């Protein structure tokens, strides 16, 4: 990544523009385009600190709907849609966090009323990849929606009809890494408790590669998308997906 590209990212995030919402003078959620990807960064903490009020949840929700609508209208030019949030919807860590619950607050929304649940929103707007942290582990999921695995056309990650979730939260944590429960859900594809970090490369409009690098073994211990590492953004499927439907050239 060039210095110009890094400056572009920093300038986009730190500037006040139409893609950013300022909450108490802090960019708690924002979005930006980088080449062929529309990145959406949002706060999961709003759902857990309601003692500070409820307005921030509704404000972020309204902003997300508006931003995702604009992103889908522009998918001919920027085909990839990737979200970044802190607390994941799915995980199999042995710690009782929200992502281990049957009805995760981030995934299904506020208790009882199920308002502002993000999983359905991201599915309906065709998010391709959801990147998470918080858990001090690495875990890649099969394409999943509503706790159900929806693999792709010719292999799991080729034209998947549901988003792919990746939890990569072990980089730099000082409390040691977490442990996993013995029997994960069927959506869990790969797990590691090594210290490590993720690398991602967007090759073009149809191919994305993701690596998780083990800092313990100082090697790339696992690649995300199988032998040929193909992953294509939203295409026509049996499910109602966003406005821009496309076929893979792979």
């Amino acid at each position: 990544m060039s210095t110009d590209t890094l400056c572009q990212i920093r300038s986009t995030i730190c500037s006040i523009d139409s893609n950013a919402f300022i909450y108490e003078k802090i960019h708690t959620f924002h979005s930006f385009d980088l080449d062929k990807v529309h990145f959406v960064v949002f706060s999961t903490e709003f759902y857990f600190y309601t003692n500070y009020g409820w307005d921030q949840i509704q404000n972020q929700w309204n902003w997300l709907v508006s931003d995702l609508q604009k992103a889908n209208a522009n998918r001919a030019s920027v085909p990839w849609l990737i979200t970044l949030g802190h607390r994941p919807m799915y995980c199999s860590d042995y710690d009782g966090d929200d992502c281990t619950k049957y009805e995760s607050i981030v995934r299904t929304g506020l208790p009882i009323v199920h308002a502002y649940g993000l999983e359905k929103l991201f599915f309906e707007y065709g998010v391709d990849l959801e990147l998470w942290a918080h858990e001090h582990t690495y875990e890649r999921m099969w394409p999943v929606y509503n706790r159900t695995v929806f693999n792709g056309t010719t292999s799991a990650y080729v034209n998947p009809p549901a988003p792919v979730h990746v939890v990569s939260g072990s980089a730099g944590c000082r409390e040691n890494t977490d442990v996993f429960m013995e029997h994960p859900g069927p959506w869990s594809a790969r797990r590691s408790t090594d210290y490590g970090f993720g690398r991602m490369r967007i090759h073009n409009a149809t191919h994305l590669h993701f690596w998780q690098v083990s800092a313990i073994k100082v090697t790339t211990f696992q690649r995300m998308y199988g032998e040929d590492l193909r992953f294509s953004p939203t295409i026509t499927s049996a499910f109602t997906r966003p406005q821009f439907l496309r076929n893979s050239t792979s």
Side-chain angles (χ1 to χ4, degrees), residues 1 4-15 17-21 27 29-42 63-64 67-68 70-71 74 78-85 131 200 202:
M1 183 178 293
D4 289 342
T5 302
L6 290 172
C7 290
Q8 177 187 348
I9 296 173
R10 185 181 186 281
S11 175
T12 303
I13 294 175
C14 296
S15 65
D17 55 34
S18 59
N19 283 343
F21 183 93
H27 284 275
F29 43 92
H30 57 271
S31 66
F32 59 95
D33 292 338
L34 183 62
D35 196 19
K36 298 185 183 301
V37 185
H38 182 71
F39 289 96
V40 181
V41 185
F42 63 96
W63 176 85
L64 279 170
D67 188 77
L68 291 170
K70 294 175 184 177
N74 192 39
V78 184
W80 291 96
L81 184 50
I82 298 175
T83 62
L84 298 95
L131 300 176
M200 182 172 65
I202 311 295

Side-chain angles (χ1 to χ4, degrees), residues 215-226:
I216 301 297
K217 302 173 183 177
V218 200
T219 59
T220 302
F221 68 83
Q222 187 261 342
R223 291 191 175 191
M224 178 176 174
Y225 297 119

